[in-house]
Every structure is written in structure tokens, then in C-alpha cells.
């Protein structure tokens, strides 16, 4: 299992822009990631009115949130369930939509720099940027 220090170093490599703002979520990752699971991409934004850290591994897409007052919220989408990933860029921020056969998860207020990690080069079906 990866340690918190190893995970923080990998997130820094991946360009997590706001390490301070997402440290509560980052601290949850050692307990959530499987022993041999590798971090491939990371971003952050707002989903359903709640700020989230979004982590892509070779197995799944994880949405992690730890409010100041409240229980951690985590849900995962298996990679094979992803049908499409779409991005759109605004003036300052962008948005990413992760689509499965059953649902669409739209992440808003995403830093445009981090969107490229979820582009077609990540091997996700239907990935596109507009």
C-alpha cells in the first residue's frame, strides 16, 4: 500500500494545483487505494455542489470529498464503465463530464491545466476537449 508521503509526491508530479485546499481528501487516499493501484491523473472541481478531488487510476475514477463538518464521501466508477469523457473550457475554468451508460458526472470549476490529463492520451473512450 502506498504511504501518504508517496501519494502526495505522485499528486505533485501530476500537477495538483491546490494541495493545501485538498489535504483532507488527500489524507483519505492511502485507505482507499488498493495496494498496487497507480495514480494516472488528478484534478479538482465541484460536483453536485460539493468540492471534490478526482483521481484516475488504471482501474477506476475516484471522486473524494471530505467536508469540514461531516463524513467523507467517496464514490468510484470502474474504468470499464466509462463511455466518454468530455471537456469544455471557459475563460478561467473548464468543466469535465464523465459519462457511463447510466449516468453523467459533470465536474465544474476545473483548472484548465489539469484537463489535459483526461484527454484522449489517457486511453479513455470518447475523450474529447472543446
Amino acid at each position: 500500500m502506498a504511504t501518504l508521503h508517496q501519494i502526495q509526491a505522485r499528486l505533485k508530479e501530476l500537477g495538483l494545483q491546490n494541495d493545501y485546499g485538498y489535504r483532507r481528501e488527500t489524507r483519505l487516499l492511502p485507505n482507499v487505494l488498493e495496494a498496487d493501484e497507480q495514480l494516472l491523473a488528478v484534478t479538482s472541481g465541484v460536483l453536485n455542489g460539493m468540492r471534490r478531488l478526482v483521481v484516475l487510476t488504471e482501474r477506476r475514477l475516484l471522486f473524494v470529498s471530505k467536508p469540514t463538518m461531516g463524513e467523507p464521501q467517496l464514490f468510484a466508477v470502474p474504468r470499464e464503465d466509462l463511455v466518454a469523457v468530455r471537456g469544455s473550457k471557459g475563460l478561467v475554468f473548464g468543466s469535465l463530464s464523465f459519462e457511463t451508460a447510466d449516468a453523467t458526472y459533470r465536474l465544474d470549476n476545473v483548472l484548465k491545466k489539469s484537463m489535459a490529463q483526461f484527454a484522449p492520451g489517457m486511453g479513455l473512450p470518447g475523450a474529447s476537449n472543446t
Side-chain angles (χ1 to χ4, degrees):
M1 179 184 308
T3 66
L4 178 59
H5 180 70
Q6 291 169 326
I7 290 171
Q8 287 172 329
R10 179 63 179 146
L11 291 174
K12 189 172 184 176
E13 287 174 11
L14 293 171
L16 180 63
Q17 297 294 317
N18 191 353
D19 178 58
Y20 178 78
Y22 287 90
R23 70 176 174 225
R24 291 187 310 254
E25 287 81 3
T26 302
R27 288 180 186 157
L28 296 174
L29 291 177
N31 299 325
V32 172
L33 295 174
E34 296 174 11
D36 58 346
E37 204 167 10
Q38 299 294 316
L39 299 175
L40 302 177
V42 63
T43 193
S44 60
V46 176
L47 175 71
N48 298 331
M50 184 173 279
R51 69 186 196 99
R52 310 255 182 191
L53 179 68
V54 179
V55 178
L56 178 69
T57 73
E58 71 279 1
R59 295 184 191 144
R60 56 196 174 149
L61 183 67
L62 297 166
F63 296 87
V64 184
S65 182
K66 173 59 177 99
T68 303
M69 303 294 281
E71 294 296 316
Q73 294 184 5
L74 165 76
F75 68 94
V77 176
R79 253 290 308 239
E80 60 270 8
D81 290 355
L82 288 171
V83 175
V85 177
R86 303 189 195 301
S88 64
K89 296 178 181 177
L91 186 60
V92 178
F93 296 104
S95 66
L96 285 169
S97 294
F98 302 97
E99 299 175 20
T100 67
D102 300 327
T104 299
Y105 306 97
R106 182 184 165 99
L107 189 69
D108 293 313
N109 296 338
V110 176
L111 286 174
K112 291 192 287 188
K113 288 168 60 173
S114 68
M115 292 175 63
Q117 296 179 39
F118 294 90
M122 293 308 299
L124 295 173
S128 68
N129 287 324
T130 56

